[in-house]
Each structure stands twice: as C-alpha cells, then as structure tokens.
Amino acid sequence: MRWSKLRTLVRERLADSVADRVDIHSARYGACGCGHAWITLDGKVIANFCTRAKYVALGLEPGKPNRKQIYALADFGEFSRQDAYEACWAFVHELSAEQALGDEDPLVQSLAMLDRRVGKRRLRALDEASLHPLARRLLLIRLEAEQGAPLTSASVA
C-alpha cells in the first residue's frame, strides 16, 4: 500500500480533538528506500524516525550497524521509517483499540493514544510510568486536547 493511502487511513483514526494538530509524514531518499518519518504537533516535529541520522550521530557507517547499540538509545533515530510504516499498518489493519494500547511496539502504543476509539476515561486509567516516552507525550497531548488534564511544562520536555 502506498504511504499516502496508509497516512490517510491513520489520520481517519485520529480523535477529533487532535486531528487538526497532529500529523505523520514520511520521505524516501533514492532507490534504496532510505529516508525518515516524523510526527508533528502544530507543524513542529515532536518525533523523528530517522535511523540514518542516528548512524551519523554515533559515528557509525551507514549500512548494518549493531542494532542493539542503536535501539538501546531512546532518542533521535531510535526508530526507522520502516518501523513507523509497520506500526501504522498494524494500527490501521490488524489491531483493535485495546490491542493497540497494550502492544509491545512503542509506535503502535503511541498511535493508540491518539485513536478516536479510545475514550477519555480509558486514557486517564493508563499507567503513564509504564509507557514509552513518545506514547506518554502523546497521551498528555491528547488529554490536554480533550480538556481532561493540563499539560505541564515537565511533560512537554
């Protein structure tokens, strides 16, 4: 499935309160499929899935670095463009809202925080401490948008 169609399906699943503020993007560079994906909030990048940039930051050669070394870091470049595509696919085609919330993949969990099928009470009942930082951040953004909880300055950092 083309990215543009998958993106449309993901956007259709977003809650009304965040649908106009949150977006997901993907870009591919060259024939190799390298590229990056990113999530924006109000037009500003809040998550960037670009493994190639992480290779450079670690001083590694692009190609096949030690994946354990890459994934041990929970920041810029933690996930690849392909990881984002696979999470979007699972979110749209394979999982119920409850399954997405409990999924082991942090990107699927993150998308579930924005899912229109997940209500405010269910979101408030989640254990924030057990969530990946991206999922936690999107949860707080969603709760703020739903007027359920104020967003603190510590939670946006």
Side-chain angles (χ1 to χ4, degrees):
M1 174 180 291
R2 290 187 168 274
W3 169 252
S4 57
K5 177 63 177 171
L6 184 56
R7 178 181 179 223
T8 299
L9 294 173
V10 168
R11 290 188 47 76
E12 287 173 357
R13 286 265 172 102
L14 297 180
D16 293 339
S17 61
V18 294
D20 293 337
R21 299 182 63 204
V22 176
D23 205 354
I24 186 164
H25 309 271
S26 177
R28 188 174 94 174
Y29 309 114
C32 70
C34 298
H36 74 285
W38 64 100
I39 296 176
T40 59
L41 173 67
D42 299 328
K44 295 184 178 168
V45 177
I46 61 169
N48 193 331
F49 315 122
C50 181
T51 308
R52 176 176 276 188
K54 191 52 156 186
Y55 298 157
V56 173
L58 292 173
L60 301 171
E61 294 288 326
K64 293 188 178 182
N66 178 346
R67 290 182 72 76
K68 189 181 281 184
Q69 186 177 9
I70 296 292
Y71 283 77
L73 303 171
D75 59 353
F76 186 79
E78 177 181 3
F79 302 104
S80 69
R81 177 180 155 269
Q82 187 62 31
D83 293 333
Y85 185 93
E86 290 170 5
C88 288
W89 180 270
F91 175 68
V92 170
H93 292 100
E94 298 172 0
L95 303 171
S96 68
E98 196 63 30
Q99 289 171 322
L101 283 172
D103 200 90
E104 292 179 11
D105 184 345
L107 297 180
V108 172
Q109 249 186 25
S110 298
L111 291 170
M113 299 304 148
L114 305 174
D115 193 333
R116 72 173 52 246
R117 301 173 296 170
V118 179
K120 291 182 275 189
R121 278 184 282 173
R122 178 66 179 106
L123 289 171
R124 286 188 195 114
L126 292 174
D127 177 20
E128 288 183 40
S130 68
L131 297 174
H132 184 274
L134 177 60
R136 187 177 318 118
R137 187 170 188 190
L138 291 175
L139 169 64
L140 294 173
I141 289 166
R142 169 83 185 276
L143 288 174
E144 178 193 50
E146 298 280 354
Q147 300 299 321
L151 190 62
T152 65
S153 59
S155 61
V156 243

